[in-house]
Amino acid sequence: MKLSVLGVLGAAYPAQAAGALLPHVPLLLTGTAASLAAEAVLYRWQRGMVSVFAKSHADVTVRHVLRDLLLVVGLLRIGEQHRETVYAPLVAGLLALYALHSAIQAVSVLVRRTRTLPVVTRNIDVSALRLSPAPPVLLRRPGHRLPLFGLPATAGLLATAALDAPVYGAAGLALSLLLSLAGLAALLLRLLPGRRPAGEQETLAWFEDWLAEYRPTVGLYFSGGASSAYQANMWLEPLARLGGRPVIVLRERFMVQKIGATDLPIVCLPKVSTLMRLEHSTLRVLLHPSNSGKTSQVLRIPTIKHAFVNHGESDKLSSCNPYAKAYDEVWVAGPAARERYALAEVGVADGEVVEVGRPQLRAVAPYSGPPTGQYTTVLYAPTWEGWDGNPGNTSVVAAGENLVRALLADPGVRLLYKPHPLTGSVDPRAGAADLRIRELIGAAARERGGPRPDASAAAELQRRAAELDRLTASGFRAAADQTERMLRQQAPPPGRAAQVARATAAWEEAYWAARPAGEHRVVSDARPALYSCFNRADLLISDVSSVISDFLASGKPYAVANTGGLTEQAFRAACPTVTAATVLTPDAAGVPALLEAVRRPERDEFAEARAALARQLLGPAEPPSQERFAGAVRALSAAAREHRARRERGAAADVPAPRRPIAPAAEPSGRSGPSGA
């Protein structure tokens, strides 16, 4: 399709030019019509090519001007010399149309700037900011506007060339000019003082008032790419269960919509100068689930204590990154992570490490015995390839297909495949292997077939999905901008978060019930969540990652693929999280014995080791992790209050006392002073 569009455009303009210069009316009409058709296909089905043309300095404006210019040349060549004065008004009208197009574009930029606020919010009442719906997308994007507004003019010029009747060109140009004037007027109205949103200073004053009224105490700070939002989303529920007045602080505008369903207030502060306004707020603690380049900016705020909570723990070097020493405290799940930091010698003192468990894991169901049905459900959840090119990072490249084939060869296995969201983002080989694995599983699922649940199960899933969408969907127009989304996502009704939790649980139950008992599945969407897959699985196969640490909360058997070239003994010694796992080689030769151990617990030699390792990795079961997490927040908040009080006392002590007024000098007298001669 892409080559076809390029071919048509590549042939249409030369044909139009030849028709204009010869002159040859049929060729001129054919070339023009072909280029218009290619433009329609381009914007309807090949949007990716639009940016390619723009980078080649052949954007829609250039193409449209060239098309109309060739039409005008054709008109001048077709008509006799004395007809040039007849076509002159058409040329003037065409020039006026492009002048209006430029004016609309300039005004649309001004409107966009007035609607780009220094603070982007969600779940906060913003009625004081005078927000309004966004202008129609037709007025904001030249790629949509110019072809549509200019189409009557182009069609009129074509009719003029075909029929030698200037009246058609004049009528088409008049309609295009009228449409352009109406669009310009609609945009200009939005620049009137009463129609534009609050300005930058007014918005910042509103934000400071909101901080003073809400009085946040603890926040989640996050900055990252679009595919990394899961790192923040896993902390939403533990943060919400803290009580008090939590807040989510973001840095990228697009991330506001990537954060999952929550009732917590969300503020996005793109500029450092706006971020620094948190210094004088009541915010005492910020939790950091990941490191980013922008983290160093918020660490400059001295009145806030910072804790690194990470988005999972594993034996990877990234789990004890030297950047962690920049935080006031590092919160880990259990003793194993404390030991990991001590051995890594990255500058994190033992007193700065706090064990809080993994409060997210209360959603993981405990082990209830070996599989009792017809199928053994195996979850294959590999991690991604990472940044350093280590072949041991992910099993997808070296072992993924072998593992999947070995599992699918067992007629009693039901396979769930849930790849990491970043798979293939660095190494194309991982992306290609992931696609082949998906194809293998899809083919096996079609071959297995089997009876499907009755229609009532599908209807129940549809009903639960509609209920969940009603609670979580934003309902934005396609043309909505960030300001309109702020307007639509103000303070949620009380109790919505609890409704979403119940609806999510009901949807997950309906999702699994609507699938055949033995159906192989590729689970790549946000729903069902990883922990829901944990609860359906009898066995996990993964890599050295936080997935296996979290899965240990279930007490179920797990296996880890060894693709780094180490011997099994060296692999277990280098990765403590593997000590209670079955180690699989890249050829997947150990899969049959592994499945037998899962189905016959008396052959499971790692049951006691898993329980001990869970305590080492995740900490004790009592007190619950959420309580330990809340206690760590309270302790760090108290430290922040004391630190702030000391700073205020120090600042007061440094203020010099007012000077005493100097007495006026005495009038000279006849007597000498003490030092007089």
Side-chain angles (χ1 to χ4, degrees), residues 164-253:
D164 193 21
V167 64
Y168 293 108
L173 279 166
L175 181 55
S176 290
L177 289 170
L178 184 62
L179 290 172
S180 298
L181 285 170
L184 180 61
L187 288 174
L188 286 171
L189 286 175
R190 289 178 172 269
L191 294 178
L192 295 176
R195 300 287 300 275
R196 66 176 68 179
E200 180 175 0
Q201 295 305 316
E202 186 179 353
T203 302
L204 292 175
W206 167 86
F207 177 59
E208 290 187 344
D209 290 342
W210 178 82
L211 286 174
E213 180 182 355
Y214 182 65
R215 298 183 62 79
T217 55
V218 59
L220 182 75
Y221 178 90
F222 189 72
S223 171
S227 59
S228 63
Y230 73 94
Q231 299 172 356
N233 286 334
M234 69 170 59
W235 285 99
L236 295 181
E237 187 180 358
L239 187 66
R241 293 203 306 269
L242 285 175
R245 296 177 298 279
V247 64
I248 299 171
V249 180
L250 306 176
R251 301 302 308 282
E252 291 80 21
R253 295 175 184 271

XYZ file of all heavy atoms in Angstrom, residues 164-253:
688
model
N -13.491 25.351 -19.958
C -13.125 26.711 -20.346
C -14.184 27.708 -19.868
O -14.611 28.602 -20.602
C -12.936 26.799 -21.865
C -12.256 28.112 -22.260
O -11.591 28.720 -21.383
O -12.402 28.528 -23.426
N -14.603 27.510 -18.590
C -15.624 28.383 -18.004
C -15.095 28.895 -16.673
O -15.151 28.187 -15.662
C -16.932 27.622 -17.805
N -14.533 30.114 -16.630
C -13.945 30.651 -15.398
C -14.916 30.754 -14.238
O -14.498 30.827 -13.082
C -13.442 32.037 -15.818
C -13.260 31.952 -17.301
C -14.337 31.027 -17.781
N -16.211 30.722 -14.548
C -17.181 30.877 -13.472
C -17.075 29.745 -12.453
O -17.282 29.945 -11.251
C -18.611 30.961 -14.045
C -19.003 29.661 -14.739
C -19.608 31.299 -12.953
N -16.712 28.541 -12.919
C -16.584 27.420 -11.984
C -15.398 27.619 -11.037
O -15.475 27.331 -9.837
C -16.426 26.112 -12.759
C -17.660 25.724 -13.536
C -17.677 25.828 -14.924
C -18.800 25.266 -12.883
C -18.808 25.485 -15.649
C -19.934 24.919 -13.606
C -19.936 25.031 -14.985
O -21.055 24.690 -15.700
N -14.303 28.108 -11.580
C -13.154 28.396 -10.729
C -13.459 29.477 -9.722
O -13.050 29.396 -8.548
N -14.192 30.499 -10.162
C -14.540 31.581 -9.249
C -15.450 31.083 -8.129
O -15.285 31.453 -6.952
C -15.221 32.712 -10.018
N -16.427 30.224 -8.495
C -17.342 29.701 -7.474
C -16.596 28.824 -6.470
O -16.810 28.910 -5.255
C -18.458 28.908 -8.152
N -15.691 27.972 -6.974
C -14.925 27.119 -6.066
C -14.030 27.923 -5.141
O -13.942 27.642 -3.935
N -13.365 28.930 -5.703
C -12.516 29.774 -4.867
C -13.327 30.538 -3.833
O -12.901 30.698 -2.687
C -11.736 30.746 -5.753
C -10.483 30.175 -6.420
C -9.990 31.107 -7.525
C -9.386 29.956 -5.393
N -14.504 31.004 -4.219
C -15.349 31.734 -3.274
C -15.744 30.851 -2.098
O -15.720 31.281 -0.931
C -16.589 32.272 -3.985
N -16.099 29.600 -2.397
C -16.485 28.692 -1.319
C -15.290 28.390 -0.408
O -15.430 28.368 0.824
C -17.037 27.398 -1.921
C -17.505 26.334 -0.920
C -18.537 26.902 0.048
C -18.057 25.117 -1.651
N -14.124 28.168 -0.998
C -12.927 27.910 -0.182
C -12.587 29.110 0.685
O -12.226 28.972 1.865
C -11.740 27.568 -1.084
O -11.906 26.298 -1.678
N -12.683 30.317 0.118
C -12.400 31.521 0.896
C -13.401 31.684 2.031
O -13.041 32.083 3.148
C -12.427 32.749 -0.014
C -11.250 32.871 -0.997
C -11.522 33.987 -2.005
C -9.960 33.160 -0.243
N -14.665 31.369 1.756
C -15.697 31.482 2.788
C -15.425 30.506 3.932
O -15.520 30.870 5.122
C -17.072 31.223 2.179
C -18.279 31.395 3.117
C -18.365 32.838 3.606
C -19.571 30.991 2.416
N -15.071 29.281 3.600
C -14.748 28.298 4.640
C -13.539 28.745 5.459
O -13.532 28.622 6.687
C -14.465 26.941 3.998
C -15.655 26.204 3.378
C -15.183 24.966 2.618
C -16.664 25.810 4.445
N -12.532 29.267 4.791
C -11.323 29.700 5.496
C -11.615 30.885 6.406
O -11.119 30.957 7.543
C -10.240 30.071 4.482
O -9.889 28.952 3.694
N -12.411 31.825 5.940
C -12.762 32.975 6.776
C -13.551 32.541 8.003
O -13.339 33.066 9.108
C -13.564 33.991 5.953
C -12.758 34.831 4.951
C -13.704 35.610 4.043
C -11.834 35.786 5.699
N -14.466 31.579 7.813
C -15.247 31.094 8.955
C -14.328 30.407 9.974
O -14.466 30.598 11.191
C -16.321 30.131 8.470
N -13.375 29.614 9.497
C -12.436 28.970 10.406
C -11.569 29.965 11.140
O -11.318 29.829 12.348
N -11.101 30.992 10.434
C -10.276 32.019 11.069
C -11.065 32.765 12.140
O -10.551 33.031 13.239
C -9.759 32.988 10.011
C -8.866 34.122 10.503
C -7.608 33.565 11.162
C -8.514 35.062 9.350
N -12.318 33.074 11.838
C -13.151 33.787 12.818
C -13.385 32.925 14.057
O -13.345 33.421 15.196
C -14.482 34.172 12.181
N -13.619 31.617 13.852
C -13.846 30.733 14.997
C -12.630 30.672 15.906
O -12.757 30.624 17.135
C -14.217 29.340 14.497
N -11.431 30.684 15.332
C -10.223 30.663 16.149
C -9.980 32.003 16.835
O -9.565 32.056 17.998
C -9.018 30.293 15.285
C -8.934 28.834 14.831
C -7.773 28.643 13.866
C -8.784 27.894 16.017
N -10.228 33.095 16.115
C -10.011 34.416 16.715
C -10.911 34.641 17.918
O -10.516 35.300 18.893
C -10.242 35.503 15.665
C -9.141 35.658 14.608
C -9.587 36.614 13.512
C -7.844 36.137 15.246
N -12.122 34.097 17.883
C -13.028 34.251 19.030
C -12.440 33.624 20.291
O -12.687 34.104 21.398
C -14.382 33.605 18.708
C -15.283 34.362 17.728
C -16.518 33.551 17.411
C -15.671 35.724 18.305
N -11.652 32.560 20.123
C -11.061 31.887 21.285
C -9.924 32.682 21.908
O -9.458 32.330 22.987
C -10.565 30.506 20.879
C -11.702 29.539 20.591
C -11.181 28.190 20.152
N -12.268 27.227 20.066
C -12.666 26.439 21.051
N -12.054 26.508 22.223
N -13.664 25.591 20.892
N -9.473 33.729 21.227
C -8.419 34.565 21.782
C -8.963 35.758 22.551
O -8.183 36.519 23.138
C -7.495 35.057 20.658
C -6.676 33.984 19.946
C -5.840 34.600 18.833
C -5.771 33.240 20.928
N -10.279 35.921 22.542
C -10.858 37.021 23.310
C -10.623 36.784 24.801
O -10.586 35.635 25.267
C -12.356 37.125 23.019
C -12.735 37.503 21.580
C -14.247 37.475 21.409
C -12.176 38.871 21.205
N -10.450 37.849 25.583
C -10.118 37.687 27.015
C -11.081 36.784 27.772
O -10.669 36.015 28.638
C -10.158 39.130 27.532
C -9.845 39.961 26.334
C -10.462 39.257 25.164
N -12.360 36.850 27.474
C -13.320 36.035 28.207
C -13.427 34.612 27.716
O -14.116 33.792 28.343
N -12.769 34.279 26.595
C -12.898 32.949 26.012
C -11.656 32.088 26.198
O -11.715 30.875 26.003
C -13.180 33.077 24.505
C -14.450 33.834 24.155
C -15.679 32.998 24.459
N -15.685 31.762 23.706
C -16.143 31.650 22.466
N -16.635 32.713 21.845
N -16.135 30.485 21.848
N -10.542 32.673 26.551
C -9.317 31.899 26.697
C -9.179 31.368 28.123
O -9.712 31.959 29.065
C -8.094 32.741 26.322
C -7.848 33.901 27.246
C -6.561 34.642 26.878
N -6.663 35.326 25.613
C -5.690 36.052 25.073
N -4.522 36.152 25.712
N -5.860 36.657 23.929
N -8.468 30.248 28.317
C -8.275 29.721 29.680
C -7.397 30.655 30.510
O -6.859 31.652 30.007
C -7.568 28.379 29.436
C -7.784 28.056 28.003
C -7.898 29.371 27.292
N -7.258 30.328 31.770
C -6.405 31.116 32.654
C -4.978 31.138 32.115
O -4.493 30.153 31.555
C -6.423 30.530 34.064
N -4.313 32.282 32.291
C -2.940 32.413 31.846
C -1.965 31.697 32.761
O -2.349 31.101 33.779
N -0.692 31.785 32.414
C 0.325 31.045 33.157
C 0.384 31.462 34.619
O 0.353 30.613 35.519
C 1.699 31.236 32.506
C 2.809 30.481 33.229
C 4.137 30.568 32.518
O 4.193 31.216 31.452
O 5.123 29.991 33.019
N 0.458 32.756 34.886
C 0.575 33.214 36.265
C -0.687 32.913 37.066
O -0.618 32.534 38.238
C 0.898 34.712 36.293
C 2.255 35.060 35.707
C 3.386 34.273 36.371
O 3.430 34.132 37.606
N 4.304 33.748 35.567
N -1.825 33.066 36.429
C -3.081 32.759 37.120
C -3.173 31.267 37.437
O -3.627 30.872 38.520
C -4.262 33.192 36.250
C -5.613 33.046 36.935
C -6.763 33.501 36.060
O -6.503 34.047 34.967
O -7.925 33.315 36.481
N -2.720 30.431 36.506
C -2.740 28.983 36.745
C -1.791 28.599 37.870
O -2.115 27.756 38.723
C -2.366 28.232 35.458
O -3.269 28.588 34.418
C -2.412 26.732 35.673
N -0.609 29.200 37.880
C 0.345 28.898 38.943
C -0.179 29.349 40.303
O 0.022 28.661 41.316
C 1.689 29.561 38.639
C 2.447 28.991 37.426
C 3.704 29.805 37.155
C 2.788 27.525 37.643
N -0.860 30.506 40.336
C -1.455 30.962 41.597
C -2.549 29.991 42.043
O -2.669 29.683 43.242
C -2.020 32.365 41.421
N -3.338 29.507 41.079
C -4.368 28.511 41.417
C -3.724 27.239 41.966
O -4.220 26.648 42.935
C -5.187 28.180 40.169
C -6.043 26.965 40.350
C -7.289 26.902 40.873
C -5.669 25.605 40.034
N -7.727 25.594 40.909
C -6.753 24.788 40.406
C -4.534 25.020 39.480
C -6.727 23.407 40.215
C -4.511 23.644 39.308
C -5.602 22.860 39.665
N -2.618 26.803 41.360
C -1.951 25.586 41.813
C -1.444 25.740 43.244
O -1.589 24.824 44.064
C -0.798 25.250 40.859
C 0.003 24.060 41.277
C -0.583 22.819 41.442
C 1.369 24.178 41.514
C 0.164 21.714 41.835
C 2.120 23.086 41.905
C 1.520 21.847 42.064
N -0.879 26.875 43.549
C -0.402 27.094 44.918
C -1.572 27.127 45.902
O -1.456 26.620 47.021
C 0.402 28.387 44.980
C 1.740 28.292 44.250
C 2.602 29.516 44.469
O 2.070 30.545 44.927
O 3.811 29.438 44.183
N -2.696 27.710 45.481
C -3.884 27.697 46.344
C -4.373 26.269 46.558
O -4.800 25.916 47.673
C -4.996 28.552 45.726
C -4.665 30.040 45.758
O -3.774 30.432 46.541
O -5.290 30.798 44.991
N -4.325 25.456 45.489
C -4.767 24.067 45.641
C -3.848 23.325 46.607
O -4.317 22.548 47.450
C -4.769 23.366 44.285
C -5.168 21.923 44.396
C -6.438 21.427 44.471
C -4.277 20.801 44.503
N -6.393 20.057 44.609
C -5.090 19.650 44.629
C -2.895 20.663 44.492
C -4.543 18.379 44.749
C -2.340 19.396 44.611
C -3.160 18.262 44.734
N -2.536 23.512 46.490
C -1.601 22.875 47.417
C -1.893 23.289 48.858
O -1.862 22.453 49.774
C -0.162 23.261 47.058
C 0.449 22.610 45.810
C 1.813 23.221 45.515
C 0.573 21.102 45.976
N -2.197 24.577 49.060
C -2.477 25.058 50.417
C -3.776 24.482 50.955
O -3.900 24.214 52.162
C -2.531 26.583 50.419
N -4.749 24.251 50.066
C -6.042 23.716 50.513
C -5.995 22.206 50.703
O -6.487 21.675 51.695
C -7.126 24.080 49.498
C -8.505 23.568 49.871
C -9.545 23.900 48.826
O -9.207 24.611 47.848
O -10.701 23.449 48.976
N -5.401 21.484 49.745
C -5.352 20.026 49.835
C -4.343 19.552 50.875
O -4.551 18.541 51.538
C -5.005 19.449 48.461
C -4.962 17.942 48.419
C -6.119 17.186 48.631
C -3.768 17.262 48.174
C -6.085 15.798 48.597
C -3.720 15.881 48.127
C -4.878 15.151 48.345
O -4.834 13.784 48.316
N -3.237 20.254 51.022
C -2.191 19.943 51.993
C -1.687 18.506 51.836
O -1.818 17.671 52.740
C -2.675 20.193 53.421
C -3.052 21.639 53.695
C -3.452 21.852 55.150
N -2.354 21.548 56.052
C -1.334 22.359 56.305
N -1.279 23.553 55.711
N -0.367 22.010 57.149
N -1.081 18.176 50.672
C -0.583 16.807 50.467
C 0.535 16.476 51.437
O 1.311 17.352 51.855
C -0.068 16.850 49.022
C 0.286 18.284 48.793
C -0.734 19.072 49.561
N 0.625 15.215 51.798
C 1.651 14.766 52.744
C 2.653 13.812 52.110
O 3.831 13.839 52.437
C 0.994 14.079 53.948
O 0.146 13.019 53.468
C 0.157 15.065 54.748
N 2.183 12.937 51.217
C 3.047 11.949 50.581
C 2.680 11.875 49.114
O 1.513 12.013 48.745
C 2.916 10.567 51.257
C 1.486 10.060 51.196
C 3.861 9.547 50.622
N 3.677 11.674 48.280
C 3.412 11.625 46.855
C 4.217 10.549 46.156
O 5.219 10.040 46.677
N 3.766 10.200 44.962
C 4.482 9.276 44.079
C 5.024 10.105 42.922
O 4.252 10.755 42.207
C 3.545 8.187 43.562
C 4.177 7.113 42.670
C 4.998 6.160 43.516
C 3.105 6.344 41.904
N 6.332 10.107 42.755
C 6.970 10.889 41.693
C 7.355 9.951 40.566
O 7.992 8.921 40.785
C 8.217 11.590 42.234
C 8.978 12.390 41.192
C 8.689 13.732 40.969
C 9.986 11.804 40.441
C 9.388 14.470 40.018
C 10.687 12.522 39.482
C 10.385 13.851 39.284
O 11.079 14.574 38.338
N 6.980 10.326 39.318
C 7.279 9.436 38.208
C 7.562 10.226 36.950
O 6.884 11.198 36.624
C 6.126 8.465 37.943
C 6.481 7.403 36.948
C 7.356 6.383 37.292
C 5.966 7.424 35.665
C 7.708 5.405 36.372
C 6.309 6.456 34.743
C 7.185 5.439 35.102
N 8.595 9.762 36.237
C 8.958 10.309 34.934
C 9.456 9.156 34.084
O 10.218 8.311 34.553
C 10.050 11.376 35.083
O 10.558 11.762 33.822
N 9.008 9.089 32.834
C 9.445 7.989 31.982
C 8.733 8.000 30.652
O 7.956 8.911 30.332
N 9.008 6.971 29.857
C 8.377 6.827 28.555
C 7.000 6.216 28.660
O 6.583 5.716 29.713
N 6.277 6.234 27.532
C 4.887 5.775 27.534
C 4.757 4.316 27.958
O 3.793 3.945 28.634
C 4.284 5.978 26.140
N 5.720 3.471 27.586
C 5.622 2.044 27.909
C 6.058 1.726 29.328
O 5.981 0.571 29.751
C 6.465 1.230 26.924
O 7.820 1.634 26.967
N 6.511 2.716 30.079
C 6.998 2.460 31.437
C 5.961 2.794 32.508
O 6.263 2.728 33.697
C 8.271 3.272 31.702
O 8.001 4.664 31.646
N 4.750 3.142 32.108
C 3.738 3.561 33.080
C 3.415 2.462 34.089
O 2.992 2.756 35.210
C 2.466 4.003 32.355
N 3.610 1.194 33.707
C 3.318 0.095 34.630
C 4.138 0.208 35.912
O 3.725 -0.273 36.970
C 3.592 -1.247 33.941
C 5.059 -1.563 33.766
C 5.750 -2.333 34.697
C 5.776 -1.083 32.675
C 7.100 -2.610 34.546
C 7.118 -1.350 32.509
C 7.775 -2.115 33.445
O 9.117 -2.375 33.298
N 5.304 0.842 35.817
C 6.160 0.977 36.990
C 5.506 1.849 38.053
O 5.684 1.615 39.258
C 7.510 1.566 36.566
C 8.263 0.705 35.579
C 9.498 1.393 35.020
O 9.763 2.555 35.322
N 10.254 0.687 34.192
N 4.770 2.854 37.637
C 4.034 3.697 38.580
C 2.704 3.070 38.963
O 2.270 3.146 40.120
C 3.813 5.086 37.987
N 2.040 2.434 38.006
C 0.698 1.907 38.260
C 0.687 0.845 39.357
O -0.307 0.690 40.069
C 0.110 1.336 36.963
C -0.306 2.425 35.994
O -0.623 3.547 36.401
N -0.298 2.116 34.712
N 1.774 0.093 39.511
C 1.788 -0.945 40.529
C 1.768 -0.373 41.950
O 1.493 -1.096 42.907
C 3.002 -1.853 40.347
C 4.328 -1.197 40.650
S 5.706 -2.388 40.686
C 5.646 -3.077 39.042
N 2.057 0.919 42.097
C 2.068 1.536 43.420
C 0.809 2.345 43.715
O 0.690 2.920 44.799
C 3.298 2.432 43.572
C 4.557 1.651 43.762
C 5.484 1.351 42.824
C 5.006 1.032 44.976
N 6.486 0.589 43.365
C 6.224 0.383 44.690
C 4.497 0.981 46.272
C 6.946 -0.310 45.656
C 5.223 0.273 47.231
C 6.416 -0.357 46.924
N -0.136 2.381 42.790
C -1.327 3.211 42.998
C -2.158 2.723 44.177
O -2.571 3.506 45.039
C -2.180 3.224 41.720
C -1.558 3.874 40.481
C -2.543 3.826 39.321
C -1.138 5.299 40.774
N -2.424 1.416 44.219
C -3.279 0.900 45.290
C -2.621 1.009 46.664
O -3.252 1.472 47.624
C -3.688 -0.544 44.997
C -4.709 -1.078 45.995
C -5.105 -2.506 45.708
O -4.618 -3.072 44.712
O -5.885 -3.065 46.499
N -1.340 0.597 46.824
C -0.712 0.798 48.134
C -0.692 2.261 48.564
O -0.870 2.563 49.747
C 0.715 0.260 47.925
C 0.589 -0.724 46.822
C -0.454 -0.167 45.914
N -0.490 3.168 47.627
C -0.488 4.595 47.961
C -1.875 5.038 48.397
O -2.020 5.793 49.375
C -0.019 5.410 46.753
C 0.196 6.907 46.975
C 1.353 7.152 47.930
C 0.439 7.615 45.649
N -2.903 4.577 47.695
C -4.267 4.972 48.056
C -4.662 4.420 49.420
O -5.418 5.068 50.159
C -5.244 4.489 46.981
N -4.172 3.237 49.785
C -4.545 2.639 51.062
C -3.829 3.285 52.244
O -4.131 2.975 53.397
C -4.250 1.136 51.057
C -5.127 0.338 50.103
C -5.215 -1.129 50.507
N -3.919 -1.755 50.649
C -3.256 -2.390 49.687
N -3.797 -2.463 48.486
N -2.090 -2.943 49.904
N -2.887 4.171 51.965
C -2.203 4.853 53.062
C -3.129 5.788 53.824
O -2.892 6.091 54.988
C -1.029 5.678 52.515
C 0.227 4.920 52.090
C 1.225 5.889 51.474
C 0.851 4.199 53.272
N -4.182 6.253 53.155
C -5.004 7.289 53.772
C -4.291 8.623 53.684
O -3.351 8.803 52.908
N -4.721 9.561 54.480
C -4.076 10.868 54.441
C -4.389 11.589 53.142
O -5.475 11.468 52.576
N -3.396 12.294 52.613
C -3.627 13.105 51.415
C -2.505 12.851 50.400
O -1.614 13.688 50.207
C -3.699 14.586 51.789
C -4.890 14.916 52.690
C -4.905 16.360 53.112
N -3.726 16.726 53.894
C -3.593 16.483 55.199
N -4.557 15.865 55.861
N -2.494 16.854 55.839
N -2.534 11.691 49.748
C -1.501 11.382 48.753
C -1.711 12.183 47.464
O -2.812 12.662 47.168
C -1.671 9.880 48.504
C -2.635 9.394 49.539
C -3.454 10.575 49.941
N -0.655 12.279 46.678
C -0.715 12.940 45.377
C 0.269 12.243 44.449
O 1.263 11.671 44.905
C -0.384 14.453 45.498
C 1.059 14.654 45.960
C -0.635 15.182 44.197
N -0.018 12.262 43.162
C 0.882 11.707 42.152
C 1.481 12.868 41.371
O 0.747 13.705 40.838
C 0.137 10.748 41.207
C -0.437 9.580 42.008
C 1.050 10.237 40.108
C -1.367 8.699 41.208
N 2.802 12.906 41.306
C 3.518 13.995 40.629
C 4.186 13.426 39.384
O 5.026 12.519 39.481
C 4.570 14.643 41.559
C 5.292 15.780 40.834
C 3.909 15.158 42.835
N 3.824 13.955 38.220
C 4.382 13.508 36.943
C 5.150 14.648 36.286
O 5.006 15.812 36.665
C 3.261 13.029 36.014
C 2.307 11.965 36.566
C 1.202 11.683 35.566
C 3.067 10.685 36.893
N 5.928 14.310 35.265
C 6.712 15.324 34.560
C 6.349 15.419 33.075
O 6.566 16.453 32.459
C 8.206 15.025 34.701
C 8.697 14.976 36.143
C 8.430 16.279 36.883
N 8.931 17.445 36.183
C 10.213 17.823 36.159
N 11.113 17.095 36.801
N 10.590 18.900 35.503
N 5.866 14.330 32.479
C 5.525 14.337 31.056
C 4.018 14.456 30.889
O 3.250 13.712 31.518
C 6.020 13.064 30.370
C 7.537 12.976 30.249
C 8.218 12.514 31.523
O 7.525 11.889 32.350
O 9.418 12.773 31.698
N 3.592 15.350 30.017
C 2.157 15.595 29.837
C 1.409 14.346 29.369
O 0.297 14.079 29.810
C 1.956 16.732 28.828
C 2.496 18.082 29.302
C 2.381 19.144 28.221
N 2.977 20.406 28.652
C 2.324 21.364 29.306
N 1.041 21.207 29.574
N 2.928 22.480 29.660
